């Protein structure tokens, strides 16, 4: 018997009509003899409405109480879907996170799942019921309701699929899959049939916001095949799965990610003594600012230059801290730059192909795009460039690495 | 240490501002060193909104799922009140019915409370916290959420007060107490300082819809002093308590209840054989129709007439059944009447005073009001009259039994 966990997001259950459409979809799967566990988000807008109410009462609402309140959104949709399924003659049963013992830690509003008790669900499935579970929520050791943070319903889906050893976890969204890059930037972007967890993580963390990163990590860790599909359009979506043996046909590069949320900071004329990097970056980390790319120049005349990037929202704080540091360590000057962007090529194919980086640099050079910084990992090469070149860079790389969709012909 | 359970209804928590007002009220009690357990309803309109959603999906929604959904209304208000209390510097903690183990049977949408685990609440009270509990809901033996039916929050309040052995259970509403009769009918109606459980039950079941009957029964059974007060006006409200020794000063009659929701059915010329009453009323009860007043005339010529009342919504079904019965038992004819009303005088003072009934009949006779039927209990005398005389009857009785408020003088 095939068991699939399906997760529908807020827009997919945003109205009674949408919920009825989801019920119709579920019915088709049931008619094909597939066992189903459905995970739902709250109706789109509902979580924000509830948080809005809380904000009217308190600027810093008690987080336990916020979770108590916000968790009601999914409780409504799961009940409505069960009613809609029964209307179609399909027995169904809903569970809150607490009822199905999605045990979490006590970090209210951003809790992590510790364990799931799958017994009730398994018993219901055995009785031929569709089980509908509230996403985004769990319960801590004291019986208090917790929530997993924005996008947490994806994580609920994956965690349930792992606990139930489901054949697949399907995430229904408003896109029909994962693309080689953002189609708004590169119109020739195409949907990927398959992508590895690692690639997906690199794509997601670089701005392709299809799936919550944590859910991809989770799926990779427990090897749960994850599929991204469109809620109401037909299609196979994109399967995210483990890194199988690399075939000759496999493209070297799976996709191109990019991010405009970048800011660059440079401190010049730093006396080059041991511990200089930690002297500079220590205070930045201490302020909970994440540093992405880092370059330390080769020392000249006993001083060095040090450059790193942070996200734009952290730019001003980082600059202030760096100015303080500059005084302390007698550096010459501090400079910052916001007109930059990061472009990355991602692909497990890189592992078995040499010369991918130089090919990337060549493509950019040919377009006259200057590379400001470079960072590499096993399956990713990122470059920092001036923001005005971003679209040009993405499109050139997309074509150069043979990712372009075939030209559409008119039938 | 005084412990009070306070219940606030839907209009009292109908907006963020109202919830903040409730928080201010709670603060005053805390400043007087009183321990508090607060029971809340959903924001007014919210339960109906949720039921409306369910009705869009299904004409007969699954009741377990309906409870799952409808119970979210209180979950929102309890969290908001806790946030509002913390804003005022008052530590507070909210619980759903399931979390505080308000154990019920499995009769979804009209469940009955079986037991309450008061340990968590007591521990929180000991820590100086205000405990805020979701009214109207509980959990069955399977961990499914149940609801207690409309007005069930009153019952939650009383049940908690009983379990915690609270000094008083205060029900905050949009009236400032229990009145001798409906002030809209008798402008001289006055607020009662005190009334017994038994009297309140007779008043409530006859149409003074201040409190849910079940909660009064519950309070009486466990001897929980119950007080009805206005949410936002000052005043002592009405205390509902046990029947203390009757003092000489005590009025004979505490109040006058009435109901327009009455229909009268008569079957004439019934052959007077043993079992005639059960032949007539058996099929009515079998159809779940409740019969209120009953008269069987003295037999004449071997036949008798039989009259009874039902609520107006059951009139047509009862009439149909009675016509069937008339054929079967060869009765002469069936007649019905909807233009009637019931007026009752209620008071424990009746027990020690003779002649109350005849005084009532005298008052009505003097006004030319014909009595159609009479029924009596130990603390109540009810008469059925033509509906057009209802107001006149209530006002005359109100004056005759010395219930009128003293004339207001202009200061």
């Amino acid at each position: 018997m095939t068991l699939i966990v399906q997760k529908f997001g807020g827009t997919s259950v945003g109205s009674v009509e949408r919920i009825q459409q989801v019920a119709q979809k579920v019915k088709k799967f049931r008619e094909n003899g597939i066992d189903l566990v459905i995970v739902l988000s709250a109706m789109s807008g509902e979580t924000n409405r509830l948080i809005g109410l809380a904000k009217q009462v308190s600027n810093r609402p008690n987080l336990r109480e916020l979770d108590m309140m916000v968790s009601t959104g999914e409780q409504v949709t799961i009940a409505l879907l069960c009613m809609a399924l029964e209307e179609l003659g399909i027995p169904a049963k809903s569970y809150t996170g607490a009822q199905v013992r999605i045990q979490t830690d006590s970090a209210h509003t951003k809790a992590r799942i510790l364990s799931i008790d799958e017994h009730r669900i398994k018993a219901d499935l055995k009785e031929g019921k569709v089980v509908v579970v509230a996403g985004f929520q769990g319960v801590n050791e004291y019986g208090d309701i917790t929530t997993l943070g924005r996008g947490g319903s994806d994580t609920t889906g994956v965690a349930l699929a792992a606990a139930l050893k489901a054949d697949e976890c399907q995430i229904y969204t408003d896109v029909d899959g994962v693309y080689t890059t953002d189609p708004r930037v590169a119109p020739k972007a195409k949907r990927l049939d398959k992508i590895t967890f690692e690639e997906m993580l690199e794509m997601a963390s670089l701005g392709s916001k299809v799936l919550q990163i944590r859910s991809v990590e989770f799926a990779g860790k427990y090897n749960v095949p994850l599929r991204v599909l469109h809620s109401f359009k037909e299609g196979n979506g994109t399967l995210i799965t483990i890194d199988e043996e690399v075939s000759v046909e496999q493209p070297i590069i799976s996709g191109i990610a990019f991010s405009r949320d970048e800011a660059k900071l440079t401190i010049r004329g730093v006396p080059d003594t041991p511990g200089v990097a930690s002297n500079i970056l220590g205070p930045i980390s201490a302020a909970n600012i994440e540093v992405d790319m880092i370059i330390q120049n080769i020392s000249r005349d006993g001083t060095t230059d040090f450059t790193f990037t942070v996200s734009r929202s952290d730019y001003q704080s980082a600059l202030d801290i760096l100015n303080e540091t500059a005084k302390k360590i007698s550096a010459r000057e501090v400079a910052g730059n916001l007109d930059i962007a990061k472009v990355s090529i991602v692909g497990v194919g890189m592992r078995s192909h040499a010369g991918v980086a130089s090919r990337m640099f060549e493509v950019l050079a040919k377009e006259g795009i200057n590379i400001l910084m470079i960072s590499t990992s096993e399956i990713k090469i990122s470059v920092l460039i001036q923001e005005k070149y971003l679209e040009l860079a993405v499109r050139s790389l997309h074509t150069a690495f043979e990712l372009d969709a075939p030209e559409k012909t008119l039938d």
Side-chain angles (χ1 to χ4, degrees), chain A:
Chain A
M1 196 74 165
T2 306
L3 170 62
I4 298 180
V5 175
Q6 299 184 324
K7 179 257 168 177
F8 292 88
T11 44
S12 310
V13 293
S15 66
V16 165
E17 294 69 35
R18 287 279 172 99
I19 288 172
Q20 287 167 328
Q21 277 179 276
V22 169
Q24 290 288 357
K25 201 174 196 63
V26 168
K27 189 184 179 193
K28 276 187 203 152
F29 277 89
R30 286 300 292 149
E31 284 167 353
N32 288 322
I34 292 168
D35 277 349
L36 289 176
V37 173
I38 312 291
V39 175
L40 299 185
S41 300
M43 286 182 167
S44 49
E46 178 64 4
T47 305
N48 285 336
R49 183 185 76 86
L50 292 169
I51 291 174
L53 278 177
K55 294 276 178 196
Q56 282 181 54
V57 172
S58 171
N59 285 324
R60 285 185 53 208
N62 179 298
L63 297 183
R64 177 189 181 275
E65 301 302 333
L66 195 61
D67 278 354
M68 168 72 93
M69 195 167 89
V70 167
S71 64
T72 60
E74 294 80 35
Q75 213 171 310
V76 171
T77 51
I78 57 174
L80 285 173
L81 180 61
C82 284
M83 292 174 193
L85 285 170
E86 293 220 341
E87 279 293 297
L88 300 178
I90 299 165
K93 207 164 171 188
S94 72
Y95 292 104
T96 64
Q99 285 176 333
V100 83
R101 306 306 302 166
I102 297 181
Q103 203 81 41
T104 72
D105 59 23
S106 291
H108 283 291
T109 74
K110 49 177 195 290
R112 285 186 170 258
I113 295 176
L114 302 176
S115 67
I116 291 181
D117 178 2
E118 75 282 8
H119 290 95
R120 267 186 104 162
I121 299 178
K122 279 188 174 163
D124 288 333
L125 290 173
K126 217 170 207 173
E127 288 176 20
K129 284 182 183 134
V130 172
V131 176
V132 183
V133 179
F136 174 67
Q137 57 179 253
V139 64
N140 71 8
E141 58 181 316
Y142 309 109
D144 295 334
I145 296 170
T146 54
T147 67
L148 311 178
R150 287 275 156 156
S153 294
D154 288 359
T155 308
T156 304
V158 173
L160 278 168
L164 294 163
K165 298 184 178 53
D167 296 280
E168 201 168 286
C169 177
Q170 301 181 337
I171 309 282
Y172 287 87
T173 66
D174 50 4
V175 296
D176 64 354
V178 179
Y179 274 69
T180 47
T181 194
D182 187 338
R184 284 168 301 185
V185 166
K188 289 180 182 168
K190 67 180 177 204
R191 185 179 55 77
L192 292 160
D193 286 328
K194 231 177 180 180
I195 185 170
T196 68
F197 291 118
E198 294 163 285
E199 287 170 328
M200 188 63 207
L201 282 174
E202 295 289 4
M203 297 287 277
S205 65
L206 291 165
S208 310
K209 285 160 191 162
V210 179
L211 284 172
Q212 206 210 9
I213 287 189
R214 221 202 304 175
S215 68
V216 179
E217 282 173 3
F218 215 101
K221 189 171 165 192
Y222 292 99
N223 193 14
V224 176
L226 198 59
R227 193 183 288 275
V228 177
L229 304 116
H230 195 286
S231 301
F232 303 116
K233 286 184 201 158
E234 293 299 312
N236 290 324
T238 299
L239 180 65
I240 306 156
T241 182
I242 51 163
D243 184 12
E244 287 161 22
E245 249 171 75
V246 180
S247 68
V248 185
E249 262 89 313
Q250 191 173 349
I252 300 167
I253 297 305
S254 296
I256 296 169
F258 59 86
S259 159
R260 286 187 170 91
D261 180 27
E262 305 288 327
K264 187 171 72 125
L265 293 122
T266 301
I267 180 165
R268 291 208 185 88
V270 179
D272 195 3
T273 54
V276 58
S278 88
N279 284 340
I280 293 167
L281 295 181
I284 302 280
S285 318
N288 269 320
I289 296 172
E290 241 176 285
V291 170
D292 182 16
M293 300 168 108
I294 304 170
I295 300 179
Q296 185 176 349
N297 281 9
I298 292 157
S299 183
R300 186 187 291 182
D301 311 328
T303 67
T304 186
D305 300 346
F306 202 92
T307 302
F308 59 92
T309 62
V310 298
S311 74
R312 282 190 192 174
S313 58
D314 290 328
Y315 175 67
Q316 194 53 53
S317 332
L319 195 62
D320 293 347
I321 294 167
L322 202 58
N323 275 318
E324 281 297 305
T325 307
K327 272 184 234 162
K328 270 190 214 152
I329 63 173
S330 312
R332 200 173 67 239
E333 61 171 357
V334 166
N337 189 349
L338 285 165
D339 304 324
I340 52 165
K342 185 165 72 171
V343 178
S344 309
I345 57 175
V346 175
V348 289
M350 262 183 225
R351 284 184 183 139
S352 48
H353 285 81
V356 177
S358 59
R359 174 100 187 93
M360 180 185 194
F361 304 153
E362 201 179 286
V363 170
L364 296 174
K366 219 168 104 187
E367 302 290 348
I369 301 170
N370 195 27
I371 296 170
L372 308 174
M373 289 175 89
I374 301 169
S375 94
T376 61
S377 80
E378 219 186 338
I379 64 162
K380 179 193 75 176
I381 303 164
S382 301
V383 297
L384 201 72
I385 58 174
Q386 279 186 281
E387 187 176 358
K388 62 179 175 182
Y389 293 125
L390 179 63
E391 287 83 356
L392 177 62
V394 171
R395 284 187 212 129
S396 313
L397 291 167
H398 201 269
T399 303
F401 283 103
E402 293 167 11
L403 296 173
D404 288 358
E407 296 284 335
K408 273 182 193 148
T409 52
L410 294 168
D411 300 287

